[in-house]
């Protein structure tokens, strides 16, 4: 594990501490320069003090002495292969383990979890190649390292199950039992037999790695999948590395030990990168196909919806036209039709004077104009609507000597009102003013409209004789029709005595 070099009884240097835990230089070439002044003519003495921890291998690699120009390049090449490269691959392995773990957390696919565990164990085991001053006593450190060496192929086998898509619960239970056994041996085997025992465990680990390689190769032959081919090649290289390093553990070596496990991380990295790339390409192509199918379905549904909306628009147009025709027919029958029948009866009987017939005809015209006004698309607010009533009925009021006071304020919009609703308001106002003309014997009528609460209130007040008797609710047919129309508007109609005389018709229309 460590060495100190003395030239002609003069110390040249050493590889670190000799007290436990001894500095680990078993995989690190040591280089010492001999000052020219220490070189004697003739024989010179070179002494190498070698130290190793109890119960571990202890040997001395080849010692080479010669000119600096010849030995320095050899040393630099050895240092790169046995120190710089393992350090770089440890960093690479740690990054790869974190990346695979992130894939697992994102997808919850245990394939990535076992891959992350395998590369993490391999990367931790490789720390033994380049960490000189270990953070633990030698024996606990060695137990952790050897445990990681045994666990890496076991996790890789579980990864191979998921990569190949096989379900072998009994085999995985056997692998789990083997993991428990390895953990117990690594933790509790006596120090005196630790190294040979753990070395012997590398043989089953090699067998597990060979099993994983065979499984991947078998499914590659069956499925011809590119990702399996990549991992088969990677697993074969890792198996060769494992055989080489196990042979070193069993003493089959020439010169200083040269472990190749540091090449595992780049191999893993290339295989994993290829796997992720191929899976991404497959997923991307599948997503493209699904998007094309989805776009086709959306296009079809869009066309179906457009056709349905067109049919609905036609049905709605027909429904609206039918409703308007029905409403107009009803209004004409109840209003204009009734007045024309009354006028016709007056003419046919010959009992009516010409001015009465003229008055009846004027009322019929007013009725028809009122019906047309309710359909005017330019009338979008209540003041404009009431103005049409004023235009139609003010001349009749004036002829009977009734003055009109117009007190219509700025009112909020009532966007929910349609032509039918406008006609209801017109009818109510018309009926109230007609009652004033026919029955009130009034000299003045006031029309008020103002915003009130969450709606609009319209009031028509006269100074005439008021409702008959004490009944201010006026149960006549005209008033009953006004109440029904107010209900159709979602509003309320109220009749009450005015002060000091007369009647107030009050309509509330909610906004």
């Amino acid at each position: 594990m460590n060495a100190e070099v003395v030239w002609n009884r003069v110390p040249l240097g050493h590889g670190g501490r000799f007290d436990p835990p001894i500095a680990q230089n078993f995989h690190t070439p040591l280089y010492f320069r001999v000052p020219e002044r220490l070189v004697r003519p003739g024989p010179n003495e070179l002494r190498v003090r070698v130290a190793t921890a109890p119960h571990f291998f202890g040997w001395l690699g080849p010692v080479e002495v010669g000119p600096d120009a010849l030995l320095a390049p050899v040393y630099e090449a050895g240092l790169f292969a046995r120190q710089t490269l393992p350090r770089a691959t440890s960093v690479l392995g740690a990054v790869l383990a974190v990346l695979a773990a992130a894939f697992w957390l994102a997808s919850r696919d245990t394939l990535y979890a076992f891959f992350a565990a395998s590369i993490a164990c391999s990367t931790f085991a490789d720390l033994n190649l380049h960490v000189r001053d270990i953070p633990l006593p030698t024996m606990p450190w060695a137990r952790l390292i050897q445990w990681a060496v045994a666990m890496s192929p076991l996790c890789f086998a579980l990864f191979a199950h998921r990569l190949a898509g096989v379900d072998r619960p009994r085999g995985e239970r056997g692998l789990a039992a083997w993991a428990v056994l390895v953990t117990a041996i690594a933790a509790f085997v006596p120090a005196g037999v630790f190294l040979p025992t753990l070395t012997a465990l590398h043989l089953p680990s090699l067998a597990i790695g060979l099993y994983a390689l065979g499984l991947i190769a078998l499914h590659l032959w069956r499925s011809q999948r590119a990702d399996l081919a990549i991992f088969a090649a990677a697993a074969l290289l890792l198996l060769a590395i494992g055989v080489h390093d196990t042979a070193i553990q069993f003493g089959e070596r020439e010169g200083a030990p040269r472990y190749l496990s540091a090449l595992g991380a780049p191999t893993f990295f290339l295989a994993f990168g290829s796997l992720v790339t191929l899976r991404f390409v497959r997923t991307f192509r599948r997503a493209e196909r699904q998007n094309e199918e989805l776009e086709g379905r959306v296009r079809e549904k869009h066309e179906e919806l457009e056709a349905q909306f067109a049919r609905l628009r036609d049905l709605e147009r027909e429904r609206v036209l039918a409703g308007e025709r029905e409403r107009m027919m009803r209004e004409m029958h109840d209003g204009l039709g009734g007045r024309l029948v009354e006028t016709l009866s007056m003419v046919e009987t010959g009992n009516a004077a010409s001015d009465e017939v003229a008055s009846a005809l004027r009322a019929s015209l007013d009725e028809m104009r009122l019906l047309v006004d309710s359909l005017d698309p330019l009338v979008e607010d209540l003041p404009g609507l009431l103005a049409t009533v004023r235009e139609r009925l003010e001349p009749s009021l004036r002829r009977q000597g009734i003055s009109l006071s117009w007190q219509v304020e700025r009112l909020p919009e009532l966007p929910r009102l349609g032509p039918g609703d406008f006609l209801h308001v017109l009818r109510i106002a018309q009926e109230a003013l007609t009652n004033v003309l026919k029955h009130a014997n009034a000299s003045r009528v006031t029309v008020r409209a103002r915003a009130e609460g969450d709606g609009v209130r319209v009031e028509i007040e006269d100074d005439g004789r008021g409702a008959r008797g004490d009944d201010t609710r006026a149960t006549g047919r005209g008033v009953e029709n006004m109440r029904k129309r107010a209900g159709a508007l979602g509003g309320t109609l109220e009749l009450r005595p005015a002060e000091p005389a007369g009647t107030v018709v009050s309509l509330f229309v909610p906004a």
Side-chain angles (χ1 to χ4, degrees):
M1 286 190 176
N2 198 10
E4 180 184 25
V5 175
V6 179
W7 181 274
N8 291 332
R9 299 183 182 278
V10 177
L12 296 182
H14 55 79
R17 61 182 294 161
F18 281 80
D19 298 327
I22 299 174
Q24 294 199 148
N25 291 289
F26 68 90
H27 203 248
T28 305
L30 299 180
Y31 193 77
F32 304 99
R33 286 181 172 83
V34 183
E36 189 175 351
R37 59 182 175 78
L38 296 181
V39 180
R40 304 172 185 169
N44 287 266
E45 181 184 62
L46 173 65
R47 293 185 178 186
V48 181
R49 175 192 175 197
V50 179
T52 186
H55 314 300
F56 283 84
F57 296 132
W59 64 73
L60 180 64
V63 177
E64 299 182 18
V65 182
D68 184 71
L70 293 179
L71 294 186
V74 178
Y75 166 73
E76 294 295 338
L79 188 66
F80 174 81
R82 299 166 70 180
Q83 281 292 297
T84 307
L85 182 59
R87 287 172 182 168
T89 57
S90 290
V91 174
L92 182 63
V95 171
L96 183 56
V98 171
L99 182 62
F103 271 78
W104 170 65
L105 290 174
S107 66
R108 292 300 175 181
D109 188 346
T110 53
L111 176 142
Y112 297 110
F114 285 116
F115 184 83
S118 180
I119 190 65
C121 289
S122 176
T123 300
F124 180 76
D126 287 344
L127 295 178
N128 202 43
L129 302 181
H130 58 82
V131 175
R132 189 187 77 168
D133 299 313
I134 58 178
L136 299 173
T138 302
M139 184 54 68
W141 175 259
R143 292 181 188 275
L144 284 175
I145 293 296
Q146 296 303 318
W147 174 82
V149 169
M151 293 298 293
S152 182
L154 188 147
C155 294
F156 187 76
L158 295 172
F159 161 78
H161 280 183
R162 283 141 186 83
L163 180 66
V166 299
D167 184 17
R168 296 180 178 176
R170 185 176 300 177
E172 293 196 357
R173 285 195 295 269
L175 290 175
W178 175 248
V180 173
L181 179 61
V182 168
T183 302
I185 293 174
F188 302 112
V189 69
V193 295
F194 169 77
L195 201 56
T197 302
L198 268 294
T199 298
L201 290 181
H202 293 331
L203 293 176
S205 296
L206 276 176
I208 293 174
L210 185 62
Y211 160 76
L213 175 61
L215 180 64
I216 293 175
L218 176 62
H219 283 272
L220 168 64
W221 179 75
R222 290 178 177 175
S223 62
Q224 300 296 313
R225 282 170 50 187
D227 54 352
L228 288 173
I230 293 170
F231 268 93
L236 186 60
L237 177 58
L238 292 171
L239 184 65
I241 292 172
V243 170
H244 175 272
D245 290 358
T246 302
I248 293 177
Q249 289 292 100
F250 278 93
E252 299 296 328
R253 62 187 179 276
E254 293 181 4
R258 294 177 181 267
Y259 292 98
L260 300 180
S261 60
L263 298 176
T267 305
F268 266 127
F269 186 82
L270 291 174
F272 182 74
S274 302
L275 169 67
V276 172
T277 301
L278 289 172
R279 285 197 166 197
F280 173 78
V281 170
R282 283 201 301 269
T283 303
F284 181 74
R285 289 176 178 173
R286 185 165 58 248
E288 281 188 328
R289 290 194 299 269
Q290 291 174 346
N291 282 338
E292 290 174 358
E293 294 175 1
L294 183 60
E295 286 176 358
R297 292 178 183 176
V298 169
R299 200 161 41 246
E300 292 175 1
K301 293 298 181 183
H302 181 70
E303 293 171 356
E304 291 178 8
L305 287 174
E306 282 190 337
Q308 291 177 3
F309 278 127
R311 288 194 296 270
L312 288 174
R313 283 195 297 270
D314 293 340
L315 291 173
E316 179 66 14
R317 189 180 302 111
E318 293 176 5
R319 187 190 68 80
V320 171
L321 290 175
E324 286 299 304
R325 281 195 296 268
E326 181 182 353
R327 181 180 66 82
M328 292 184 68
M329 292 296 294
R330 184 174 61 251
E331 293 293 341
M332 290 178 68
H333 178 271
D334 295 343
L336 180 60
R339 291 187 183 276
L340 288 175
V341 169
E342 180 183 356
T343 305
L344 180 60
S345 176
M346 293 168 60
V347 172
E348 288 178 343
T349 58
N351 296 328
S354 59
D355 59 341
E356 291 179 345
V357 174
S359 177
L361 289 174
R362 278 196 297 273
S364 298
L365 284 174
D366 288 340
E367 186 75 31
M368 183 179 66
R369 289 167 180 165
L370 200 65
L371 185 61
V372 173
D373 287 341
S374 71
L375 300 175
D376 187 356
L378 299 177
V379 179
E380 297 180 348
D381 57 358
L382 198 54
L385 186 68
L386 295 174
T388 62
V389 180
R390 178 180 184 179
E391 179 184 0
R392 303 299 180 202
L393 297 180
E394 189 173 17
S396 300
L397 294 171
R398 193 181 304 115
R399 282 194 296 270
Q400 291 196 18
I402 302 174
S403 64
L404 176 64
S405 174
W406 193 258
Q407 301 175 14
V408 177
E409 302 175 0
R410 184 180 182 88
L411 302 175
E413 294 183 359
L414 300 174
R416 70 180 184 85
L417 295 186
D421 300 314
F422 284 154
L423 187 57
H424 286 317
V425 176
L426 286 173
R427 288 289 193 198
I428 292 172
Q430 180 195 33
E431 185 68 28
L433 290 172
T434 301
N435 286 340
V436 172
L437 285 169
K438 291 182 177 180
H439 310 298
N441 193 24
S443 61
R444 181 180 181 84
V445 64
T446 302
V447 177
R448 288 187 292 268
R450 63 181 183 277
E452 181 179 301
D454 60 348
V456 171
R457 185 168 294 280
V458 179
E459 292 182 341
I460 299 174
E461 179 180 349
D462 65 80
D463 60 353
R465 62 187 182 185
R468 292 186 299 271
D470 296 329
D471 184 10
T472 59
R473 293 174 299 173
T475 57
R477 182 179 177 186
V479 175
E480 185 63 29
N481 286 339
M482 285 195 292
R483 293 187 189 279
K484 289 181 179 179
R485 292 181 184 278
L489 289 168
T492 58
L493 184 78
E494 177 186 2
L495 271 72
R496 67 175 186 272
E499 294 295 338
T503 303
V504 178
V505 178
S506 179
L507 170 67
F508 177 76
V509 183

